[in-house]
């Protein structure tokens, strides 16, 4: 008889394996390995046992645990083939602090470089929620407009910062609560590397001078003008 595991359990385990490897090896290499090995690369994770302690697996028979590992690998591979981010389990209560417990101790102060953006007419929407090493998400109390969004509230960082989201999924999780996942677009000061930001928002695309995005079927250039850091 085939073992059936809860989809949320497979999603969360695969996400933690994937994104902790991303923090070490980078997104492109981790994704490449998942595709080439049909997800088996995640099971070679040096912290696999630590990650699996998050779940009630201790009473599983060995055969069931083996099936669980195979199911996690298959789940990660299927998501990679469909070009869908693994997000893990998302808890609506994290919207109040803007951070999960895993991201609670992260300092982002070194990323605070004032920047003026030219050409930005994207609608402002939602609040940032940091979940590192898992992907950041956006919560809001109303349905989103179509297309790319500028994040209205970035207090989760500890400062205001222009960030944009290209949504991949939009879910209404409560009567007045929407959840968005996707790819963030991040201005990065020339003194910083992309890795500085991706330790905070791993599902991000970074740029130093400009980002080209689509709005209403046309290409829009967002040009960044960096200012001196405030003291």
């Amino acid at each position: 008889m085939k073992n059936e595991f809860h989809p949320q359990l497979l999603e969360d385990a695969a996400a933690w394996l994937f994104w902790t490897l991303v923090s070490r090896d980078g997104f492109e290499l981790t994704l490449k390995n998942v595709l080439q090995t049909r997800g088996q690369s995640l099971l070679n994770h040096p912290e696999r046992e630590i990650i699996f302690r998050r779940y009630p697996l201790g009473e599983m028979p060995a055969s069931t645990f083996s099936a669980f590992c195979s199911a996690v690998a298959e789940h990660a591979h299927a998501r990679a083939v469909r070009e869908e981010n693994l997000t893990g389990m998302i808890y609506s209560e994290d919207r109040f602090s803007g951070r999960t417990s895993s991201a609670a101790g992260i300092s982002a102060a070194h990323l605070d470089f004032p920047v003026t953006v030219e050409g930005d007419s994207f609608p402002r929407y939602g609040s940032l929620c940091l979940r590192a090493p898992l992907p950041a998400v956006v919560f809001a109390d109303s349905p989103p407009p179509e297309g790319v969004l500028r994040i209205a509230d970035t207090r989760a960082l500890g400062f205001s910062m222009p960030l944009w989201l290209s949504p991949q999924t939009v879910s209404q999780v409560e009567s007045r609560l929407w959840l968005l996942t996707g790819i963030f677009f991040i201005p990065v000061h020339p003194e910083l590397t992309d890795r500085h930001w991706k330790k905070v928002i791993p599902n991000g695309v970074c740029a130093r001078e400009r980002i080209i995005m689509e709005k209403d079927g046309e290409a829009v250039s967002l040009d960044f003008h960096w200012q001196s850091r405030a003291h």
Side-chain angles (χ1 to χ4, degrees):
M1 180 177 178
K2 183 179 179 181
N3 290 288
E4 296 291 343
F5 302 101
H6 198 289
Q8 287 187 336
L9 173 61
L10 298 179
E11 169 69 15
D12 202 59
W16 274 92
L17 291 169
F18 181 85
W19 289 102
T20 51
L21 280 178
V22 167
S23 67
R24 186 190 73 176
D25 300 333
F27 180 83
E28 289 78 9
L29 178 58
T30 303
L31 178 62
K32 177 182 177 182
N33 289 340
V34 167
L35 290 168
Q36 289 182 342
T37 68
R38 300 189 64 86
Q40 291 296 313
S41 59
L42 298 187
L43 301 180
N44 297 324
H45 196 306
E47 298 180 9
R48 187 186 78 169
E49 300 308 318
I50 295 174
I51 290 171
F52 279 179
R53 286 182 202 144
R54 301 172 58 86
Y55 315 107
L57 308 178
E59 302 302 317
M60 273 188 181
S63 60
T64 306
F65 179 73
S66 177
F68 169 73
C69 290
S70 296
V72 169
E74 291 170 7
H75 179 82
H77 180 253
R79 294 291 294 272
V81 168
R82 296 195 299 266
E83 298 183 347
E84 297 172 350
N85 266 343
L86 289 159
T87 57
M89 294 178 67
I90 301 171
Y91 300 95
S92 59
E93 58 265 29
D94 290 329
R95 72 188 187 276
F96 298 116
S97 63
R99 293 187 176 209
T100 61
S101 58
S102 63
I106 293 175
S107 173
H110 60 296
L111 306 175
D112 184 11
F113 285 88
V115 60
T116 300
V117 181
E118 181 182 347
D120 180 21
S121 60
F122 290 97
R124 301 196 180 204
Y125 175 87
S127 300
L128 176 68
C129 181
L130 302 179
R131 305 169 63 241
L134 300 183
V137 297
V138 169
F139 287 107
D141 59 6
S142 61
E146 293 288 333
V148 173
L149 309 161
R150 176 162 168 174
I151 309 307
D153 183 352
T154 64
R155 284 177 292 179
L157 293 170
F159 54 90
S160 179
M161 183 71 189
L163 300 173
W164 298 266
L165 178 74
S166 178
Q168 290 184 336
T169 68
V170 177
S171 307
Q172 185 175 2
V173 294
E174 295 178 11
S175 61
R176 288 185 54 82
L177 182 64
W178 277 258
L179 167 68
L180 283 70
T181 70
I183 304 299
F184 289 85
F185 293 85
I186 308 170
V188 177
H189 191 274
E191 292 183 13
L192 300 174
T193 67
D194 292 5
R195 201 167 183 85
H196 284 101
W197 264 103
K198 290 188 177 183
K199 288 182 178 179
V200 180
I201 301 179
N203 52 324
V205 173
C206 300
R208 285 161 182 76
E209 296 182 0
R210 68 182 53 84
I211 293 176
I212 308 294
M213 289 189 287
E214 183 177 304
K215 186 174 188 291
D216 300 327
E218 297 184 359
V220 175
S221 177
L222 306 181
D223 298 295
F224 307 142
H225 303 283
W226 296 99
Q227 307 162 32
S228 299
R229 187 196 285 267
H231 295 288

